[in-house]
Amino acid sequence: MNKIGKYEFVAEPFHCDFSGRMFLGHLGNQMLNAADFHSTDRGFGMKYLMTINRSWVLSRLAIEMEEMPSQHEHYTIETWVEGAMKFFTSRNFCVSDGNGKVYGYGRSIWAMIDTETRQPTDIYSIDNGAINAWIVDDKPCPIEKGGRVKMSGNDDLVCTIGVNYNDIDINGHVNSVKYIEHVLDLWDIDWYREHHLKRFEIAYVAEAHQGDLLNFYQEQTGEGEFCVRLVKSDPTAGVQAEVCRCKLLFVDG
Amino acid sequence: MNKIGKYEFVAEPFHCDFSGRMFLGHLGNQMLNAADFHSTDRGFGMKYLMTINRSWVLSRLAIEMEEMPSQHEHYTIETWVEGAMKFFTSRNFCVSDGNGKVYGYGRSIWAMIDTETRQPTDIYSIDNGAINAWIVDDKPCPIEKGGRVKMSGNDDLVCTIGVNYNDIDINGHVNSVKYIEHVLDLWDIDWYREHHLKRFEIAYVAEAHQGDLLNFYQEQTGEGEFCVRLVKSDPTAGVQAEVCRCKLLFVDG
């Protein structure tokens, strides 16, 4: 089996935004699906991991797109493991039209947790370090790695929403991509008419669950550059905790 | 070309809910995508219609599921035009595993509008009534048609939300399925743990746009049966209008 997984998709019209370009959230979910197809076919997918009380947890995701596929266009997501350490693996993505035109790239970092203790576990313990057989370290992924999202503290609470049924995925907590969608909803269509989202980066800190409130704190950190941190509050317990931080770069488009 | 379109999908894990079953909203979008693939291949798809200032507008949708596909399961959506009149066509759906097991069915009614006047136009005017060549009137779709959703007026305002970027599709107004998702979010995971959504029915009245507020009025009309009407309010113009009505039937599950 090839070390690089390659999956074909179509930009279905009802997964496209007002401009006929695919929603970034939908692309993000297809990247996660491609990651799961790739790992399932190679013996370390989530469905198998659930049987041994393990799960992959997305720790960071960065997506950088020159262009988004338009409705009805076919696109290909290639995904591969770039490296593995005891507690983290890095997995990359390339989104192309399958004929040499690259739409963009993604970089992700994953931890493996024990689903009972929610603590990180040793990735090499799965099938005697089998993941090492799948590492591809010579395929380029020419976008920057995600770093720490630094914010000055001069951010504004711009939005608060509740967590609902459709936000929760098979892991029992808010789907990683739902945060991205909620953050993208902080800008309106007039903004998207004039700006292309070149890069979206998210670092996950804690999980949010149904019943939590998500508070969005936003700060502009450069020209077209915004950082957003999400803080969950549990209205019954009265506790607050940071859930994730995002950094967005818009360019004129 | 076959009159019935048949499209293969996979229940991708990140389109599944906490229980590992596909979200109804995602299935609804795939039905709309299948409808568009079917009509595009036969010369009356939305992308073509846009070039002549026409568009399909979904008027009613009813989905009745015995069971939802689980993560990683392959499923097939068949779709066909059951009938056409001057201003409406009826299009049906069958969701199966492709090997004889039927998950459920869908029924939909579509109007064709002039995208400039937003008024209904004559469907037969497209390519000299070509749609008549595609009618399949002998394939069964053994679920009830959607009817008027009757409410007593004793309903409660249970939720108000704003319309955001991710709600708007290529038609420039709220995506038909987003209403379904927002309505399903009125129930929590504990409810879904104990109930299976057997039937969901929605009748569209008017379009909502970015900036509108959506008010959800809910009424229980029977055992496991609920009706919800959505009323949009434009905070700047101060006007209110009904957007759609839904009827849901939950069974113990």
Side-chain angles (χ1 to χ4, degrees):
Chain A
M1 192 176 294
N2 199 310
K3 290 185 183 179
I4 301 172
K6 195 170 175 175
Y7 306 94
E8 313 276 337
F9 300 96
V10 180
E12 295 123 342
F14 289 100
H15 295 129
C16 291
D17 73 3
F18 72 95
S19 73
R21 298 273 179 180
M22 199 164 50
F23 282 114
L24 184 77
H26 191 70
L27 177 66
N29 256 333
Q30 296 299 47
M31 284 180 168
L32 299 192
N33 285 323
D36 189 59
F37 296 154
H38 176 269
S39 54
T40 295
D41 290 344
R42 287 158 185 82
F44 46 95
M46 286 208 300
K47 206 171 171 182
Y48 162 67
L49 291 182
M50 277 182 179
T51 65
I52 54 166
N53 296 322
R54 296 283 185 277
S55 182
W56 288 114
V57 171
L58 184 59
S59 171
R60 287 175 187 275
L61 177 65
I63 301 176
E64 204 167 311
M65 301 300 288
E66 280 307 313
E67 188 185 324
M68 279 299 247
S70 291
Q71 57 165 323
H72 292 292
E73 282 182 355
H74 290 250
Y75 64 99
T76 296
I77 299 180
E78 288 175 287
T79 182
W80 64 97
V81 177
E82 187 192 50
M85 293 189 300
K86 190 172 178 184
F87 291 122
F88 289 100
T89 66
S90 54
R91 169 184 288 284
N92 296 344
F93 303 90
C94 175
V95 186
S96 69
D97 71 351
N99 292 314
K101 175 183 168 178
V102 173
Y103 289 110
Y105 293 93
R107 285 185 171 275
S108 63
I109 305 284
W110 301 74
M112 189 181 285
I113 61 157
D114 182 309
T115 52
E116 281 169 9
T117 65
R118 309 305 287 176
Q119 293 302 307
T121 60
D122 184 355
I123 291 166
Y124 294 139
S125 71
I126 304 298
D127 201 9
N128 289 317
I131 197 164
N132 278 323
W134 301 107
I135 290 175
V136 177
D137 53 13
D138 58 353
K139 185 170 165 73
C141 185
I143 64 167
E144 269 184 52
K145 295 186 181 180
R148 268 199 64 200
V149 178
K150 283 174 204 147
M151 295 177 72
S152 71
N154 286 326
D155 47 23
D156 299 309
L157 177 62
V158 289
C159 174
T160 298
I161 58 171
V163 172
N164 296 315
Y165 162 70
N166 275 289
D167 292 315
I168 305 293
D169 71 15
I170 42 169
N171 292 309
H173 50 74
V174 174
N175 168 244
S176 310
V177 164
K178 281 284 174 179
Y179 298 115
I180 299 177
E181 292 178 346
H182 292 317
V183 167
L184 294 179
D185 276 342
L186 298 179
W187 286 267
D188 68 10
I189 284 183
D190 288 341
W191 175 268
Y192 286 102
R193 259 187 245 287
E194 305 199 336
H195 298 85
H196 164 67
L197 179 61
K198 186 167 166 53
R199 183 177 165 96
F200 190 102
E201 187 178 328
I202 183 166
Y204 299 95
V205 182
E207 295 159 359
H209 301 88
Q210 181 183 270
D212 287 340
L213 290 176
L214 296 177
N215 304 290
F216 294 70
Y217 293 88
Q218 182 185 324
E219 180 184 351
Q220 182 158 9
T221 48
E223 198 184 327
E225 188 188 274
F226 297 87
C227 292
V228 181
R229 66 187 173 92
L230 274 68
V231 176
K232 69 174 174 181
S233 52
D234 175 343
T236 48
V239 290
Q240 291 225 338
E242 191 165 305
V243 169
C244 61
R245 285 188 178 206
C246 307
K247 190 171 172 179
L248 297 83
L249 180 64
F250 291 101
V251 294
D252 293 344
Chain B
M1 191 177 295
N2 200 310
K3 291 185 183 179
I4 301 172
K6 195 171 175 176
Y7 306 94
E8 313 277 337
F9 300 95
V10 179
E12 294 123 344
F14 290 100
H15 294 131
C16 291
D17 74 2
F18 72 94
S19 73
R21 299 275 180 180
M22 199 163 51
F23 282 114
L24 183 76
H26 191 70
L27 178 66
N29 255 332
Q30 297 298 47
M31 285 179 169
L32 300 192
N33 285 322
D36 189 59
F37 296 155
H38 176 269
S39 55
T40 295
D41 290 344
R42 286 157 186 81
F44 47 95
M46 285 207 301
K47 205 170 173 182
Y48 162 68
L49 291 182
M50 277 181 179
T51 66
I52 55 167
N53 296 320
R54 296 283 184 278
S55 182
W56 288 114
V57 171
L58 185 58
S59 172
R60 287 175 186 277
L61 178 65
I63 301 176
E64 204 167 311
M65 302 300 289
E66 281 305 313
E67 187 185 323
M68 280 298 249
S70 292
Q71 57 165 325
H72 292 289
E73 281 181 357
H74 290 251
Y75 65 99
T76 296
I77 299 181
E78 287 175 288
T79 182
W80 64 98
V81 178
E82 187 192 48
M85 293 189 298
K86 191 172 176 184
F87 292 121
F88 291 100
T89 65
S90 55
R91 169 184 287 285
N92 295 343
F93 303 90
C94 175
V95 186
S96 69
D97 71 351
N99 293 315
K101 175 182 169 177
V102 174
Y103 289 111
Y105 294 92
R107 284 184 171 277
S108 63
I109 305 284
W110 301 74
M112 189 180 285
I113 61 157
D114 181 308
T115 52
E116 281 168 8
T117 65
R118 312 303 289 176
Q119 294 301 308
T121 61
D122 184 354
I123 291 165
Y124 294 139
S125 72
I126 304 300
D127 202 9
N128 290 316
I131 198 163
N132 278 323
W134 302 107
I135 291 175
V136 177
D137 53 13
D138 57 353
K139 185 170 166 73
C141 185
I143 65 167
E144 267 183 54
K145 294 185 184 181
R148 268 199 64 201
V149 177
K150 284 175 205 146
M151 296 177 69
S152 71
N154 286 327
D155 46 24
D156 299 310
L157 176 62
V158 289
C159 173
T160 297
I161 58 171
V163 173
N164 296 314
Y165 163 71
N166 275 289
D167 292 314
I168 306 293
D169 71 16
I170 45 168
N171 292 308
H173 50 74
V174 174
N175 167 245
S176 309
V177 164
K178 281 284 171 176
Y179 298 115
I180 300 177
E181 292 177 347
H182 292 317
V183 167
L184 294 180
D185 276 342
L186 297 178
W187 287 267
D188 67 10
I189 284 182
D190 287 342
W191 175 267
Y192 287 102
R193 259 188 244 285
E194 303 198 338
H195 298 85
H196 165 67
L197 178 61
K198 185 166 167 53
R199 182 177 166 95
F200 190 102
E201 187 177 329
I202 182 165
Y204 299 94
V205 183
E207 296 159 359
H209 300 89
Q210 181 182 269
D212 287 340
L213 290 176
L214 297 176
N215 304 290
F216 294 70
Y217 294 88
Q218 182 185 324
E219 179 184 351
Q220 183 159 8
T221 48
E223 197 184 327
E225 188 187 274
F226 297 87
C227 292
V228 182
R229 65 187 173 95
L230 274 69
V231 176
K232 68 175 174 180
S233 52
D234 175 342
T236 49
V239 290
Q240 292 225 337
E242 191 165 305
V243 169
C244 61
R245 286 190 179 205
C246 307
K247 191 171 171 178
L248 297 84
L249 180 64
F250 291 100
V251 294
D252 294 344

